Amino acid sequence: MMDQHNDSSLFVNKDAIWVGRFQPLTVGHLISLFIILSKYKRCWIGIVYYSPKPDNMAPEWRSYIESAESILKDLTRNPFTTEEVVRMWNAVLSECELVNRVELIPMTRVAYQPDFDEKYPPDKFDFVD
């Protein structure tokens, strides 16, 4: 579809990592993915799900985390399970023939992952929005 040529010299020399709830997956998300894949050869999509905040949370994150946590717990704002969001993405990726360029990763909020930079080192990944 979008990937008519595979000249890897046209892409950024890192993978993209894109994190969100995707509640639900929309045409806007798909357009964003196409834009990301126009610059990056691969995109890792982190599908954020609710998990309790860790006890060792830095104080400067506390107010942000508490407001974000209330959104993640709210079933009216998050009507789909992580598994349902993964199934939506898989269906879209298959239909658009993008399965080989996108990796889906269910994950807790980035702020809850002290080893995030170790898993997704900045020299190998660009955090995209």
Side-chain angles (χ1 to χ4, degrees):
M1 301 227 147
M2 175 190 102
D3 193 26
Q4 295 298 321
H5 50 76
N6 264 340
D7 183 355
S8 61
S9 66
L10 300 175
F11 297 113
V12 173
N13 197 22
K14 294 181 183 180
D15 286 356
I17 185 158
W18 182 30
V19 176
R21 293 177 298 134
F22 309 104
Q23 292 281 339
L25 181 59
T26 67
V27 171
H29 292 123
L30 183 57
I31 291 168
S32 295
L33 179 61
F34 283 142
I35 292 168
I36 293 166
L37 290 175
S38 73
K39 300 173 185 167
Y40 295 87
K41 192 168 186 177
R42 290 191 46 80
C43 181
W44 298 59
I45 298 176
I47 300 167
V48 176
Y49 58 85
Y50 172 75
S51 61
K53 69 181 177 217
D55 294 331
N56 60 349
M57 182 59 53
E60 63 269 14
W61 284 99
R62 195 166 318 279
S63 67
Y64 168 75
I65 294 301
E66 287 170 2
S67 69
E69 191 172 77
S70 69
I71 291 170
L72 283 169
K73 283 171 133 174
D74 184 352
L75 294 179
T76 63
R77 292 181 170 182
N78 296 286
F80 301 100
T81 66
T82 304
E83 294 77 19
E84 290 169 325
V85 175
V86 167
R87 284 199 311 265
M88 284 185 247
W89 268 117
N90 279 329
V92 167
L93 296 173
S94 178
E95 183 66 27
C96 294
E97 300 176 3
L98 294 173
V99 174
N100 293 331
R101 295 188 61 197
V102 177
E103 184 78 29
L104 302 174
I105 317 156
M107 64 171 53
T108 61
R109 299 189 64 79
V110 173
Y112 292 7
Q113 299 181 52
D115 60 346
F116 185 83
D117 282 346
E118 293 169 27
K119 291 180 193 172
Y120 310 101
D123 63 326
K124 297 189 185 323
F125 290 89
D126 279 342
F127 199 84
V128 296
D129 199 358

